[in-house]
């Protein structure tokens, strides 16, 4: 059995190491359950060991050095700095920090015409960091390192070419024109841009979050809205059931909606709402519909025909290597919002996707169409194995939840993706031991060609565990992203951990 040792990081001594082992990796090894809790608690034994982290959540050492250099050059006494890839992004962050904290905040150009930093009192730094996380409009560590070395300009002639290649690749996967594909420095930056477009159309309206989403999809609609109070800003339907569509229909009949956001399938429960029905409703009641198809792994589902906009985190399956963040928005020409969104994007869109990131992503994504079918097959087999085990209470996987809604959009040859979540029986007593015994890479991120898992609820919802549980997301949930390794090897890893935790 092949064991991909170069990227398998699960041992105690791997704590804090990048996954994969390279400077700009976007995952970090948190090998034991308690390391994940320690990270969330800010335990210096964990955070001090971290050589990197998921870049929207953890400032990479190169990025942190850039901020320190901005401070050294331009900060006034008592100020700290966070740098962003453009003036407009920095201004958005400054406005957010002012709105949330009332602090005195300013922006200034650092390093180049494009890179701007937000200067603020140290007490407001966490709020600016929340903007960085939720909106994903980040300055990546590759660019920070290059800027510190006196390079770091956004584009070279090579990167302009690579960006075009990526847009053509996304277009061919989505079945649209490359002219309708827009690239961003993260999946969240893509979604946040769509949200801003919708805000420009209907600034006073509420959005709909349909189904329990990836954490920042909801945070954007709560914290980046201008509508107060927050329950007027977004109506949230965590279960995404048919009866919830009836409720959306009632709302849409009574007021105009900002737009509806839905993941297909959803993270972390892999449910599939009835987007065909939502799509009909959006046409009848005139609101834009955004589908986040990240977990459909680029090749499995064809969702663009039922959406106005499809957003994808290219960080995940498209890249597959776990060493670059990126996102895309795709517009559907056949839908009624196309012209309006296109016109607004001409003003709202800025190319802030760093050229060297594009070069890495272009290389990584060449084999996406070959990688994913193998991942589909491996995940299906591993889920089948786990679902039959008496120690397992639940396996959440698109073939096992809302299957008919998922299958309605299957492409020829498409499968159920590589992501699933698992909850053990007697979870409070068994989970930690099982997790610690599991000999696969353990850290944030998904969609890599190597298998990767994390205690997702702990990492994404640590400060709102009761809320997550009220939505059906167990705090003991383990999310697994299945890779391309030998399937027997994968199954043996899980079998071993199950044996270990029942000793
Ligand atoms: C479904 C989904 N959408 C969007 C995102 C955000 O993507 P990114 O981390 O590239 O900003 C993620 C994960 O992070 C996700 O799982």
């Amino acid at each position: 059995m092949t064991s991909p040792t170069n990227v398998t990081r699960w041992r105690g001594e791997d704590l804090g190491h990048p996954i994969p082992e390279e400077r700009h990796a976007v995952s970090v090894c948190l090998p034991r359950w308690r390391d994940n809790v320690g990270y969330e608690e800010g335990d210096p034994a964990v955070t001090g060991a971290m050589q990197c982290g998921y870049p929207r959540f953890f400032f990479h050492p190169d990025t942190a050095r850039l901020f320190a250099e901005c401070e050294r050059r331009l900060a006034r006494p008592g100020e700290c700095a966070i740098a962003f890839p453009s003036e407009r992004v920095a201004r958005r962050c400054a406005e957010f920090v002012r709105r949330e904290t009332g602090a005195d905040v300013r922006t200034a150009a650092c390093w180049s015409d494009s890179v701007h930093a937000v200067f603020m009192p140290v007490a407001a730094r966490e709020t600016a960091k929340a903007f960085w996380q939720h909106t994903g409009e980040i300055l990546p560590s590759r660019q920070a390192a290059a800027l510190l070395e006196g390079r770091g300009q956004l584009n070279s002639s090579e990167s302009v070419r690579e960006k075009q290649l990526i847009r053509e690749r996304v277009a061919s996967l989505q079945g649209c024109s490359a002219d309708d594909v827009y690239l961003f420095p993260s999946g969240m930056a893509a979604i946040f841009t769509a949200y801003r477009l919708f805000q420009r159309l209907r600034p006073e309206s509420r959005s709909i979050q349909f189904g329990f989403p990836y954490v920042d999809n909801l945070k954007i609609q709560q914290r980046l809205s201008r509508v107060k109070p927050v329950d007027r800003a977004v109506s949230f339907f965590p279960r995404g059931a048919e009866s919830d569509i009836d409720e959306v229909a009632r709302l849409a009949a009574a007021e105009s909606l900002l737009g509806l956001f839905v993941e297909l399938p959803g993270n972390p429960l892999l449910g599939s709402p009835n987007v065909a029905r939502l799509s009909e409703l959006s046409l009848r009641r005139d609101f834009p519909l955004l589908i986040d198809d990240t977990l459909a792994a680029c090749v499995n589902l064809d969702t663009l025909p039922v959406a106005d906009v499809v957003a994808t985190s290219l960080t995940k399956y498209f890249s597959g290597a776990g060493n670059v963040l990126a996102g895309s928005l795709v517009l559907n020409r056949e839908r009624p919002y196309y012209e309006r969104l296109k016109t607004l994007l001409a003003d709202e869109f800025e190319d802030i996707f760093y050229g060297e990131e594009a070069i890495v992503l272009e290389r990584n994504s060449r084999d996406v169409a070959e990688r994913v079918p193998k991942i589909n097959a491996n995940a299906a087999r591993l889920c089948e194995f786990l679902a039959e085990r008496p120690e397992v209470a639940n396996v959440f996987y698109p073939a096992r939840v809302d299957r008919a809604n998922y299958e309605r959009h299957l492409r020829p040859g498409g499968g159920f993706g590589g992501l699933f979540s698992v909850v053990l029986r007697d979870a409070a007593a068994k989970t930690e031991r099982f997790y610690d015994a599991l000999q696969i890479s353990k850290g944030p991120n998904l969609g890599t060609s190597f298998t990767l898992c994390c205690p997702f609820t702990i990492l994404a919802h640590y400060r709102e565990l009761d809320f997550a549980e009220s939505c059906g997301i167990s705090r003991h949930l383990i999310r697994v992203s299945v890779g391309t390794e030998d399937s027997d090897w994968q199954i043996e890893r899980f079998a071993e951990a199950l044996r270990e935790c029942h000793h």
Side-chain angles (χ1 to χ4, degrees):
M1 281 183 258
T2 53
S3 148
T5 45
N6 57 332
V7 289
T8 306
R9 289 214 170 266
W10 53 268
R11 296 172 185 82
E13 65 264 28
D14 293 333
L15 172 67
H17 278 260
I19 307 177
E21 186 73 52
E22 55 180 277
R23 181 167 176 176
H24 300 292
V26 306
S27 187
V28 63
C29 183
L30 297 168
R32 292 154 301 210
W33 195 270
R34 64 177 180 277
D35 301 321
N36 291 270
V37 173
Y39 166 59
E40 292 298 329
E41 295 280 349
D43 176 358
V46 176
T47 54
M50 287 169 66
Q51 297 173 27
C52 65
Y54 198 71
R56 287 190 295 98
F57 288 77
F58 184 91
F59 293 134
H60 188 282
D62 292 327
T63 310
R65 272 199 300 137
L66 184 80
F67 297 172
E69 190 54 28
C70 291
E71 287 166 4
R72 197 186 62 74
R73 291 183 181 185
L74 290 169
R76 297 170 186 155
E79 279 183 340
C80 66
I82 292 187
F84 288 93
S86 81
E87 178 172 11
R88 286 163 80 179
V89 176
R91 285 179 186 278
R92 280 196 282 276
C93 175
E95 187 201 325
F96 175 76
V97 175
R98 260 181 233 119
R99 194 166 68 229
E100 288 228 341
T101 68
D104 202 5
V105 186
R106 66 192 178 90
T107 63
C110 281
W111 300 93
S112 67
D113 290 344
S114 58
V115 175
H116 275 58
V118 176
F119 293 89
M120 70 210 110
V122 173
R125 192 170 189 269
E126 276 308 304
T127 307
K129 186 163 182 264
F131 178 90
W132 175 280
Q133 175 194 320
H134 301 328
T135 71
E137 298 193 312
I138 69 168
L139 192 147
S141 53
R142 264 189 201 86
Q143 189 175 10
L147 286 165
L148 289 162
E149 288 165 12
R151 302 179 292 114
Q153 71 280 13
L154 183 71
N155 277 314
S156 60
S157 54
E158 184 189 4
S159 74
V160 170
R161 223 173 26 246
E162 307 304 69
K163 285 182 188 179
Q164 184 57 23
L165 280 176
I166 295 169
R167 291 171 70 211
E168 284 164 10
R169 194 164 295 151
V170 170
S172 90
L173 290 164
Q174 293 283 3
C176 68
S177 156
D179 293 342
D180 293 330
V181 179
Y182 297 80
L183 299 180
F184 298 86
S186 67
M188 286 323 304
I191 290 165
F192 179 49
T193 302
Y195 183 73
R196 295 200 313 277
L197 301 181
F198 296 174
Q199 277 181 318
R200 285 179 64 164
L201 290 171
R202 300 213 177 90
E204 304 301 325
S205 296
R206 81 170 82 216
S207 63
I208 305 286
Q209 175 57 51
F210 201 80
F212 190 90
Y214 173 66
V215 52
D216 292 305
N217 276 340
L218 182 60
K219 296 287 181 207
I220 279 187
Q221 297 169 69
Q222 292 172 329
R223 291 183 81 177
L224 277 303
S225 171
R226 297 209 169 74
V227 179
K228 296 283 176 258
V230 68
D231 60 348
R232 268 278 316 150
V234 49
S235 290
F236 176 34
F237 298 89
R239 311 228 168 230
E242 291 293 326
S243 58
D244 293 325
I245 303 183
D246 300 336
E247 188 56 35
V248 176
R250 273 191 289 278
L251 263 175
E255 59 185 277
S256 70
L257 299 176
L258 183 106
L260 186 143
F261 295 78
V262 59
E263 292 176 9
L264 200 70
N267 190 356
L269 290 188
L270 288 307
S272 299
N274 187 343
V275 294
R277 212 181 137 205
L278 288 167
S279 179
E280 283 164 23
L281 182 64
S282 72
L283 293 172
R284 190 149 39 89
R285 291 298 180 190
D286 185 29
F287 58 84
L289 172 63
L290 179 144
I291 297 180
D292 175 341
D293 74 345
T294 302
L295 304 188
C298 301
V299 305
N300 291 326
L301 297 185
D302 186 21
T303 61
L304 187 60
V306 288
D308 294 279
V309 188
V310 169
T312 313
S313 167
L314 304 178
T315 310
K316 309 298 184 335
Y317 291 93
F318 189 78
S319 164
N323 60 1
V324 56
L325 248 55
S328 64
L329 279 186
V330 175
L331 302 184
N332 179 351
R333 284 190 185 203
E334 309 299 324
R335 295 267 299 195
Y337 277 90
Y338 178 76
E339 293 299 338
R340 277 170 285 175
L341 295 175
K342 193 92 187 159
T343 307
L344 285 172
L345 265 171
D347 178 51
E348 196 66 49
F349 177 77
E350 283 187 287
D351 179 10
I352 52 169
F353 182 37
Y354 179 52
E356 287 185 31
E357 300 264 287
I359 291 169
V360 174
L361 183 64
E362 189 284 316
R363 215 177 297 135
N364 293 348
S365 58
R366 286 177 195 169
D367 67 344
V368 57
E370 288 88 61
R371 244 188 291 123
V372 172
K374 170 87 173 146
I375 287 174
N376 286 339
N378 281 353
R381 190 157 174 251
L382 183 54
C383 284
E384 204 170 299
F385 166 77
L386 288 171
E388 283 169 8
R389 292 291 303 232
E391 302 92 334
V392 171
N394 249 314
V395 176
F396 301 92
Y397 178 59
R400 304 174 54 84
V401 232
D402 307 323
R403 181 170 178 146
N405 286 341
Y406 183 95
E407 283 187 326
R408 197 173 297 126
H409 308 281
L410 258 188
R411 288 180 189 281
F416 293 94
L419 199 69
F420 71 88
S421 294
V422 58
V423 177
L424 298 181
R425 270 189 222 287
D426 195 10
K430 303 285 189 195
T431 303
E432 184 160 349
R433 185 129 180 222
F434 170 78
Y435 191 77
D436 293 357
L438 192 54
Q439 298 185 9
I440 59 174
S441 287
K442 288 182 263 186
N445 199 23
L446 65 93
T448 47
S449 56
F450 50 89
T451 301
L452 185 60
C453 70
C454 68
F456 181 78
T457 316
I458 299 294
L459 284 184
H461 301 284
Y462 191 70
R463 315 238 161 257
E464 51 183 26
L465 289 173
D466 292 337
F467 158 74
E469 293 205 320
S470 77
C471 300
I473 322 285
S474 164
R475 70 188 65 206
H476 307 295
L477 175 145
I478 296 169
R479 195 189 68 182
V480 181
S481 171
V482 180
T484 55
E485 305 94 342
D486 183 89
S487 172
D488 290 339
W489 178 84
Q490 294 169 343
I491 288 178
E492 188 46 37
R493 306 286 87 179
F494 282 82
E496 244 174 64
L498 286 171
R499 283 196 292 275
E500 188 62 33
C501 85
H502 281 83
H503 276 162

